[in-house]
Amino acid sequence: MTTTGREPGSGRRPLEGLLVVGLEQAVAAPMATRHLADMGARVIKIENPRGGDMTRHYDDAQAGMAAHFVWCNRGKESVGLNIADPRGAAALERLLARADVLIQNLAPGAAARRGLDAAQAVARHPRLVAVDISGYGEGGPLSHKRAYDMLVQSEGGSCAVTGGPGQPAKPGIAMIDLATGMYALSWILGALHGRAATGRGEALTIGMFDVVAEWMGYQVNYTMGTGVEQEPAWVGSPAVAPYGTYRTSDDQTVVLGTTNDGEWQRLARTVLERADLADDPALATNSGRVADRARVDAAISTWTGGVTLKEAQETLDAAALGNARLNGVQDLIDHPQLAARDRWRPVATPHGEFRAVLPPPIAATWTPSMGEVPGLGEHTDAVLAEFGYSPAELASWRRDGVI
């Protein structure tokens, strides 16, 4: 099997020794902590013992567990703990006294009512890096609202720039959940780096609405500068032409585009063999091609309609022009690029193994943990015993529904 050349080693992972507590559910916070676990951190996931993370119950598609849950929660320890009970709250506080990181994305106001928002947690534990994830951030008329990826994308305008003219769509990927998780991850690492110098932790807050506003930067700048709201362009871009999908003679779809005028010249002269288009002053610049997109797309479609996908891609590659095949999910699973680069790893669950793709970065000296996906409350007794609770106490708590 062909791999990447220099294989990553089995050295010490960079976050080993770090203790992370997650009051988390859904995607944003769990994705951040999963990456911390991949880098060696110990992540203790606090779940309601009567059901746990809501994504546990979406389906049973992956090894008898929910596809969302196994994706976001490998390598963690699950502690079932009712933090509404004073005993559960005291146990959580005992964990936080030793923790390095706390991340929470509970319902609006829930963490603050229990003294577990970032500011209050850091006030009690000054070395703690604590993160609040919410839908709309603190303050403002929408701060009280529940917010899921679809809702925040709709409120933040990203659905309006996806899909086609007059037909907005939510991206199939939970884009803002994931972006929020990545912001949490990167700022946690930054705060830990700062703590190494100052000895002080940090209270961080992240609003998903602020994330979508940031990621809408191109569209926001364009509209502020021109007063025009661009129409979405399906699998393409309203800002660049040609840039999109084209059917081939074998009923496949090739995706191709140009990003500068030189590439357009190669496409028109070498691939399409249309000197008339290459020499047309109206098409010499990207703005001109955007304005006359229909004529450009028609010429490309005429060419792709006469060649197979393989022929189209070989010709475009020879001309050093970017192209791809429009694939589905199974195509990705079966993709030779992933297989050739050995990107799949087995991950254990209480119900058996499944395959997961490695995290994108490759380190030269260590490998991601790719740890087991926990069952609900699987580690409750072991963790609480480690933190000083006796078997008799835990048996009593279990009878009372604390764990």
Side-chain angles (χ1 to χ4, degrees), residues 94 99 110 152 218 258:
R94 192 176 294 188
V152 175
Y218 161 73
T258 63

Side-chain angles (χ1 to χ4, degrees), residues 114-202:
R114 292 182 169 87
L116 293 170
D117 64 353
Q120 294 179 87
V122 172
R124 295 194 305 277
H125 307 289
R127 285 182 53 80
L128 188 67
V129 173
V131 185
D132 295 336
I133 292 176
S134 64
Y136 295 96
E138 298 176 356
L142 302 185
S143 294
H144 66 287
K145 293 177 70 71
R146 286 182 176 269
Y148 306 123
D149 181 88
M150 175 187 69
L151 304 178
V152 175
Q153 290 212 49
S154 297
E155 193 76 38
S158 59
C159 292
V161 300
T162 309
Q167 299 184 59
K170 188 192 85 66
I173 294 173
M175 183 178 71
I176 300 305
D177 272 338
L178 295 174
T180 301
M182 293 301 95
Y183 276 116
L185 173 67
S186 61
W187 283 62
I188 286 169
L189 296 176
L192 289 170
H193 181 73
R195 188 184 73 172
T198 67
R200 297 190 303 274
E202 184 61 80

Side-chain angles (χ1 to χ4, degrees), residues 15-81:
L15 299 185
E16 288 183 18
L18 197 76
L19 178 59
V20 178
V21 174
L23 288 169
E24 54 176 34
Q25 60 183 340
V27 174
M31 182 55 71
T33 56
R34 195 215 77 188
H35 280 282
L36 294 170
D38 285 339
M39 289 187 277
R42 181 186 184 187
V43 177
I44 297 177
K45 182 181 180 75
I46 305 298
E47 299 187 70
N48 186 326
R50 304 296 177 261
D53 186 325
M54 64 184 178
T55 63
R56 283 185 177 274
H57 312 291
Y58 280 178
D59 54 62
D60 58 359
Q62 192 57 275
M65 301 185 76
H68 272 91
F69 188 82
V70 299
W71 172 42
C72 296
N73 290 285
R74 66 170 179 256
K76 303 178 184 180
E77 300 169 56
S78 172
V79 171
L81 191 63

Side-chain angles (χ1 to χ4, degrees), residues 42-47 56 73-81 95 348 350 371-387 394 398 403:
R42 181 186 184 187
V43 177
I44 297 177
K45 182 181 180 75
I46 305 298
E47 299 187 70
R56 283 185 177 274
N73 290 285
R74 66 170 179 256
K76 303 178 184 180
E77 300 169 56
S78 172
V79 171
L81 191 63
L95 267 64
E372 183 174 349
V373 178
L376 175 57
E378 179 181 349
H379 304 91
T380 303
D381 287 14
V383 169
L384 293 180
E386 176 188 346
F387 279 78
L394 298 182
R398 183 163 281 108
I403 59 175

Side-chain angles (χ1 to χ4, degrees), residues 226-245:
T226 67
V228 174
E229 293 195 31
Q230 294 173 313
E231 295 276 14
W234 300 111
V235 182
S237 169
V240 183
Y243 203 79
T245 60

Side-chain angles (χ1 to χ4, degrees), residues 9-17 37-41 365-370:
S10 56
R12 185 181 188 275
R13 297 183 181 99
L15 299 185
E16 288 183 18
D38 285 339
M39 289 187 277
T365 60
W366 59 274
T367 56
S369 68
M370 304 297 284

